[in-house]
């Protein structure tokens, strides 16, 4: 069994297997190496700054869209990347999940798409060590120089070519559209009525870090005039789980749903993995 916590990802959906020969649709084409370099320069500069000095990690955590090394990274690509999981592991990153994005996902400007129904995939990865972060940056710089990929690293070149987003795990991941819909359905009409939510904390094995994140979550709940109903911690073998059940006023929850990225809201707490109904 692998040494990793269990993470929650979207439920899989059954699909009917297609018979016969698959249609030979052309894949979307990238905007090119130079354009990708311009598009993602800021994100990779943030990654490079993450270990540049003692204050960098703190500064990034104070920036809701910053990339701190202790967070998960989200890679979104225009097409599935063959053998990416194996290539990611060779670079020291563990892919925690991958799933197909919905039909409403729009690629950034510049990609040439002849068939809008082509599959898009999202990959989640962690940066568990400084070495893994540095390896990712080395691969990116080598790609940007136009150097051919070493044996086994071609999937990374495909990833960089077809990358449409690179971001830290953020409010849109902590509070998904499915969760927003489910919470909205349960909202009472009166602003003062209470709404119960589950807050799942990142399942790191570092108990001190989990405790810090839990205390930060409790402080944010208190600032929103809510209350913690219950707290659960499970750490057995390869399974780590830390969560809070909380009650907030319907007015506070409406504000959360309307603006998940609000600096003082729940969905911008670094230590939270998910906000759930």
């Amino acid at each position: 069994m692998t040494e990793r916590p269990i993470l929650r990802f979207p439920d899989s959906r059954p699909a009917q297997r297609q018979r016969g020969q698959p249609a030979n649709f052309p894949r979307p084409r990238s905007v090119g190496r130079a354009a990708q370099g311009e598009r993602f320069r800021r994100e990779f500069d943030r990654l490079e700054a993450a270990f540049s000095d003692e204050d960098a990690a703190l500064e990034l955590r104070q920036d809701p869209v910053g990339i701190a090394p202790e967070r998960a990274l989200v890679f979104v690509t225009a097409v599935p990347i063959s053998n990416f999981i194996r290539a990611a592991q060779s670079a020291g990153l563990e892919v925690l999940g991958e799933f197909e994005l919905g039909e409403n996902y729009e690629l950034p400007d510049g990609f040439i798409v002849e068939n809008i129904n082509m599959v898009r995939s999202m990959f989640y990865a962690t940066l568990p060590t400084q070495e893994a972060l540095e390896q990712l940056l080395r691969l990116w710089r080598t790609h940007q120089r136009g150097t051919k990929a070493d044996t086994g690293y071609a999937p990374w070149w495909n990833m960089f070519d077809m990358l449409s987003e690179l971001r830290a795990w953020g409010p849109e991941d902590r509070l998904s559209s499915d969760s927003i819909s489910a919470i909205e359905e349960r909202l009472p009409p009166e602003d003062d009525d209470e709404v119960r939510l589950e807050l799942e904390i990142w399942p790191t094995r570092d108990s001190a870090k989990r405790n810090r994140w839990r205390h930060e979550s409790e402080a944010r709940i208190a600032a929103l005039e809510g209350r913690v109903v219950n707290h659960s911690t499970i750490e057995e073998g390869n399974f780590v789980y830390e969560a809070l059940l909380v009650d907030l006023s319907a007015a506070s929850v409406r504000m959360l749903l309307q603006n998940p990225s609000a600096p003082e809201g729940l969905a911008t707490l670094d230590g939270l993995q998910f906000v759930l109904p």
Side-chain angles (χ1 to χ4, degrees):
M1 184 175 289
T2 56
E3 292 294 324
R4 64 184 180 189
I6 293 178
L7 302 180
R8 182 198 304 270
F9 288 98
D11 294 333
S12 60
R13 294 179 173 86
Q16 183 176 0
R17 183 172 180 175
Q18 300 296 320
R19 303 289 183 179
Q21 294 295 324
N24 188 22
F25 290 123
R27 291 160 56 92
R29 286 180 300 208
S30 174
V31 296
R33 176 173 52 83
Q36 287 290 78
E38 286 297 320
R39 174 175 289 164
F40 292 106
R41 175 174 290 117
R42 179 177 174 83
E43 285 77 6
F44 280 98
D45 284 349
R46 286 179 182 273
L47 281 175
E48 192 160 16
F51 285 102
S52 63
D53 59 60
E54 293 180 358
D55 297 326
L58 176 61
E59 292 173 1
L60 286 169
R61 282 196 296 271
Q62 292 173 340
D63 179 356
V65 298
I67 297 177
E70 67 186 15
R71 298 182 187 175
L73 286 181
V74 177
F75 296 89
V76 183
T77 61
V79 295
I81 305 300
S82 178
N83 297 322
F84 176 69
I85 292 179
R86 185 183 305 169
Q89 290 172 341
S90 69
L93 283 79
E94 182 180 14
V95 177
L96 303 175
E98 57 178 309
F99 62 94
E100 181 181 336
L101 293 179
E103 295 179 357
N104 294 328
Y105 180 75
E106 295 183 4
L107 291 173
D109 292 339
F111 280 95
I112 300 173
V113 181
E114 297 182 29
N115 178 17
I116 197 63
N117 295 320
M118 287 295 296
V119 174
R120 279 86 66 183
S121 295
M122 179 181 290
F123 300 89
Y124 295 89
T126 60
L127 295 177
T129 64
Q130 180 174 351
E131 289 74 19
L133 172 62
E134 292 172 346
Q135 173 71 334
L136 173 60
L137 291 170
R138 281 195 295 269
L139 291 171
W140 170 251
R141 295 190 201 104
T142 304
H143 170 271
Q144 284 295 291
R145 288 195 297 268
T147 305
K148 184 178 179 181
D150 291 337
T151 302
Y153 287 97
W156 276 106
W157 265 233
N158 293 333
M159 164 66 78
F160 295 144
D161 287 342
M162 303 307 297
L163 194 62
S164 61
E165 290 182 54
L166 169 62
R167 55 183 169 77
W169 188 271
E172 66 267 48
D173 305 297
R174 298 186 183 101
L175 184 60
S176 69
S177 58
D178 288 344
S179 291
I180 289 176
S181 297
I183 295 170
E184 285 178 336
E185 290 177 358
R186 306 178 191 185
L187 275 179
E190 299 298 328
D191 284 349
D192 291 336
D193 288 345
E194 290 186 330
V195 178
R196 183 155 297 179
L197 301 176
E198 179 180 344
L199 309 183
E200 291 194 8
I201 294 169
W202 273 103
T204 174
R205 296 185 183 282
D206 187 334
S207 59
K209 185 175 291 185
R210 290 203 317 272
N211 286 335
R212 173 168 60 85
W213 287 338
R214 176 168 59 84
H215 293 321
E216 290 172 353
S217 300
E218 291 170 342
R220 185 68 57 87
I221 291 297
L224 294 170
E225 299 184 350
R227 62 191 181 95
V228 176
V229 177
N230 204 351
H231 162 239
S232 177
T233 300
I234 303 173
E235 189 171 3
E236 297 181 0
N238 296 310
F239 182 78
V240 178
Y241 174 81
E242 186 99 19
L244 298 169
L245 277 181
V246 304
D247 283 343
L248 286 171
S249 70
S252 294
V253 174
R254 284 194 185 90
M255 292 177 62
L256 169 67
L257 301 182
Q258 291 168 1
N259 185 13
S261 298
E264 301 305 318
L266 289 177
T268 52
L269 280 168
D270 283 353
L272 284 188
Q273 186 186 19
F274 295 114
V275 178
L276 301 165

